[in-house]
Amino acid sequence: DELTTPKGSKNPSVRVHFEFPSQWSQIDKALGGITLVDGNTGLKCYVLRASLPEGETLASVPKAWFGETIFDEKGAIVRGGTGIDTFKVTSSKMIDSPPGAAPSRRRIGLKYTVVTGNQKTVDRRAVVDAYEAGGAAFMLLASATSTKWESAEKERCERTAESFFIGL
């Protein structure tokens, strides 16, 4: 698939692909993004794009920027109807990109709490894989409830994030 880059970028789009189980369903198509959910376990996957701050790169932007950007009230997750109570960026490191991918890649860990429709809170954990291309961060966020994280869901989220690929 292809995603558009911010206006003024030398490439109008970037190639994107990642692997996910066949039982995941796409939701929120009307918002124009890529959001998948496993209806059995509640595991969610988002593909997000955000312009990097002027003068910053994926490597130089503070790790707090990722949490603030991902959970911004104007961002795709909140616009899609997910209420966010709190969030914390738990880890951040630069990692190697696979051959043919955008060269700058960063892995982020998150903890956050969502507010459900009936006003209950649910703790979630997530892994984010981010690439820099055309002045933007292209991010795949894969998350699961904290109660299921240490069982099989952490591994599923990490495997999905690891498969994320942005090619120029």
Side-chain angles (χ1 to χ4, degrees):
D1 211 351
E2 289 194 354
L3 298 173
T4 59
T5 55
K7 289 182 179 168
S9 297
K10 68 178 183 177
N11 296 331
S13 64
V14 293
R15 292 178 295 121
V16 59
H17 66 80
F18 60 97
E19 297 172 8
F20 59 92
S22 60
Q23 73 263 25
W24 292 9
S25 302
Q26 186 169 3
I27 58 173
D28 296 336
K29 287 182 184 180
L31 294 175
I34 299 172
T35 304
L36 302 164
V37 66
D38 181 331
N40 294 324
T41 66
L43 191 146
K44 282 194 171 181
C45 179
Y46 302 89
V47 177
L48 309 165
R49 182 195 83 184
S51 294
L52 289 163
E54 180 120 5
E56 295 281 1
T57 66
L58 195 68
S60 70
V61 72
K63 73 178 188 177
W65 177 85
F66 290 94
E68 293 162 2
T69 300
I70 289 167
F71 300 119
D72 184 275
E73 63 185 31
K74 295 177 184 169
I77 293 175
V78 175
R79 277 193 341 226
T82 301
I84 304 298
D85 184 39
T86 61
F87 64 86
K88 180 180 180 180
V89 179
T90 58
S91 63
S92 173
K93 65 180 180 178
M94 295 300 292
I95 61 174
D96 292 331
S97 296
S104 187
R105 185 178 185 195
R106 193 164 169 177
R107 180 72 47 85
I108 292 90
L110 297 171
K111 288 183 179 181
Y112 64 104
T113 303
V114 298
V115 180
T116 65
N118 60 1
Q119 300 305 303
K120 300 228 185 279
T121 58
V122 177
D123 293 329
R124 296 186 70 87
R125 300 280 306 266
V127 60
V128 178
D129 201 73
Y131 285 92
E132 180 180 350
F138 290 88
M139 300 171 277
L140 180 138
L141 181 149
S143 81
T145 61
S146 291
T147 57
K148 296 179 181 177
W149 186 254
E150 289 303 328
S151 61
E153 298 303 344
K154 177 181 179 183
E155 183 181 320
R156 289 176 73 201
C157 289
E158 289 174 341
R159 197 169 48 243
T160 301
E162 186 61 35
S163 74
F164 186 52
F165 179 93
I166 293 290
L168 300 177

